[in-house]
Amino acid sequence: MAFSEGNLADHLGALSYSEEQIELMDVATNFCRDRSPIDKVRKLIEDEHGYDPAVWQEIVDLGWLGIAVPEAQGGVGLSMAEVAPIAEQMGRRLLATPFATCTIAAQALLAAGDEAQCAEWLPRIVAGEVATLALTEPHGDWDLGHVEATAKASGDGYVLSGTKQFVVYAQHAALVIASVTVEGAVRLALIERSAIPDSALRREIIIDETKRSYELTLDGITIPASALLDAGRSGTALTQIELASALLQAAEMCGGTQSAIDYTIEYLKTRKQFGKLIGEYQALKHPITNAYVGYEKARSHMLSAAHNFGQQGVGEIAVRMAKASADKAYSFAADRAVQFHGGFGFTHDCDAGLYRRSAIWHASQYGDAAWHRAKLADLLF
């Protein structure tokens, strides 16, 4: 879809808030601050779940899992624009939960699920049953259409084969949505956790220790034919998954960037060297100012992406710009946080390392800044 320069600027320059966004931002700000202090974040790194089930239940009770789900399926009937403020505050406080994976799984069902599939799973997701996605494969291609896992017809169902990586929170998920090829065509398959043997899941060691990620071996897992999502809408579903993921990650990264800057400035205002606060030195003032400018740019792009998410064509451009901008801003701010904390900035005891690891993790999921910029080039020129 082609856009004139003026038309595109009119769309991408819109940053208005809805009343719902403002209310959700206020609630999420206080909730994430109170439920995810940094000492609790560190404690959960050693926890099997990786998140607090009690906090998860509070999130369910607040109705956040149903924000972008139609009322007919037990949701609130709003949009992804209203989900973004919550993700931003979760990223700001490093609050680890399956919130993003559940939200994206719901979007996949809405994009390609039939009436029965949506009626069965969407209310369960809204009620707090964890859903996740298995889309990434060992070849490492961020193109979601590059699928080597297969589903072959066998009797009344299908037998799966292949390997998926970075299946977040799979151990405690009730539903895994995996991409497979059926007779050469990419489809999405609904796999109930009960059909996955424990031996098929292997905990992965990833850079961000606040997350839980698993490798999933699909070999031998069987699903009924009714578990395949609509063949004709698989492409649309994959696009919806990619854009929804990028929007939520951009929001989380903006929140993390804000925290990394706040954390660093607090240190610059208290640490003295040669009789002066180190924040008085221009060599430190200027980079942290640049980090803040980068944060404001990234947040503006993220708000534009949230506002335009449902706009065909413009929404994709806005989301890819937001992910690319947030990736760059978070990486820079977190890297400066490590550097400015000098001798202990890279150690486990310094919180700067948590933000740097978070920035690397988010960049690795669904495309980094360079990948999204390459996609933008195809869209804009």
Side-chain angles (χ1 to χ4, degrees), residues 68-69 80 102-112 122 237 240-241 244 309:
V69 174
M80 289 298 295
C102 288
T103 299
I104 297 163
Q107 292 300 303
L109 281 163
L110 289 168
L122 288 175
Q240 182 73 2
I241 289 170
F309 186 80

Side-chain angles (χ1 to χ4, degrees), residues 82-365:
E82 281 74 33
V83 180
I86 296 173
E88 181 184 12
Q89 294 307 310
M90 289 182 172
R92 181 181 179 185
R93 300 297 176 181
L94 300 176
L95 175 58
T97 71
F99 175 75
T101 64
C102 288
T103 299
I104 297 163
Q107 292 300 303
L109 281 163
L110 289 168
D114 60 27
E115 187 174 346
Q117 290 163 339
C118 290
E120 178 181 0
W121 282 107
L122 288 175
R124 294 172 64 175
I125 293 172
V126 172
E129 290 194 49
V130 175
T132 188
L133 299 109
L135 307 175
T136 304
E137 299 191 351
H139 54 62
D141 192 344
W142 280 316
D143 181 354
L144 297 184
H146 183 178
V147 179
E148 295 181 354
T150 62
K152 293 184 178 179
S154 176
D156 296 333
Y158 288 84
V159 178
L160 309 183
S161 66
T163 301
K164 298 292 184 178
Q165 295 179 330
F166 305 125
V167 187
V168 185
Y169 298 109
Q171 181 68 25
H172 301 286
L175 174 67
V176 176
I177 301 178
S179 55
V180 294
T181 59
V182 180
E183 298 178 350
V186 176
R187 302 279 295 273
L188 291 172
L190 305 178
I191 310 173
E192 296 196 39
R193 177 64 179 85
S194 57
I196 302 173
D198 288 340
S199 59
L201 291 173
R202 181 183 65 81
R203 173 89 178 268
E204 295 173 322
I205 299 174
I206 58 175
I207 187 74
D208 185 351
E209 296 173 296
T210 67
K211 305 289 192 302
R212 293 292 177 273
S213 181
Y214 294 84
E215 181 181 87
L216 169 60
T217 302
L218 296 172
D219 297 345
I221 294 175
T222 60
I223 59 171
S226 60
L228 287 175
L229 301 191
D230 185 89
R233 292 184 288 163
S234 292
T236 302
L238 288 175
T239 301
Q240 182 73 2
I241 289 170
E242 182 185 6
L243 296 183
S245 300
L247 174 62
L248 295 187
Q249 289 191 15
E252 283 198 55
M253 286 193 286
C254 284
T257 306
Q258 181 180 2
S259 276
I261 293 171
D262 290 346
Y263 180 70
T264 307
I265 289 177
E266 186 64 28
Y267 184 68
L268 298 182
K269 290 164 63 178
T270 55
R271 175 79 164 92
K272 285 189 175 181
Q273 190 71 27
F274 305 114
K276 294 175 64 175
L277 293 170
I278 62 174
E280 295 179 41
Y281 294 102
Q282 287 190 347
L284 303 187
K285 272 184 182 178
H286 290 182
I288 201 63
T289 301
N290 290 337
Y292 186 75
V293 171
Y295 159 71
E296 288 289 353
K297 287 181 180 177
R299 191 162 191 267
S300 296
H301 281 300
M302 185 272 289
L303 293 174
S304 173
H307 181 79
N308 290 292
F309 186 80
Q311 301 291 326
Q312 185 177 10
V314 175
E316 180 176 356
I317 292 171
V319 168
R320 294 194 187 282
M321 292 176 73
K323 177 75 191 289
S325 182
D327 182 356
K328 181 180 178 182
Y330 199 6
S331 176
F332 182 80
D335 189 67
R336 293 293 86 78
V338 171
Q339 182 184 19
F340 291 178
H341 281 79
F344 77 107
F346 63 90
T347 66
H348 182 70
D349 293 335
C350 181
D351 294 342
L354 298 178
Y355 300 116
R356 189 68 189 95
R357 288 167 177 266
S358 172
I360 294 171
W361 165 257
H362 283 295
S364 73
Q365 299 298 297

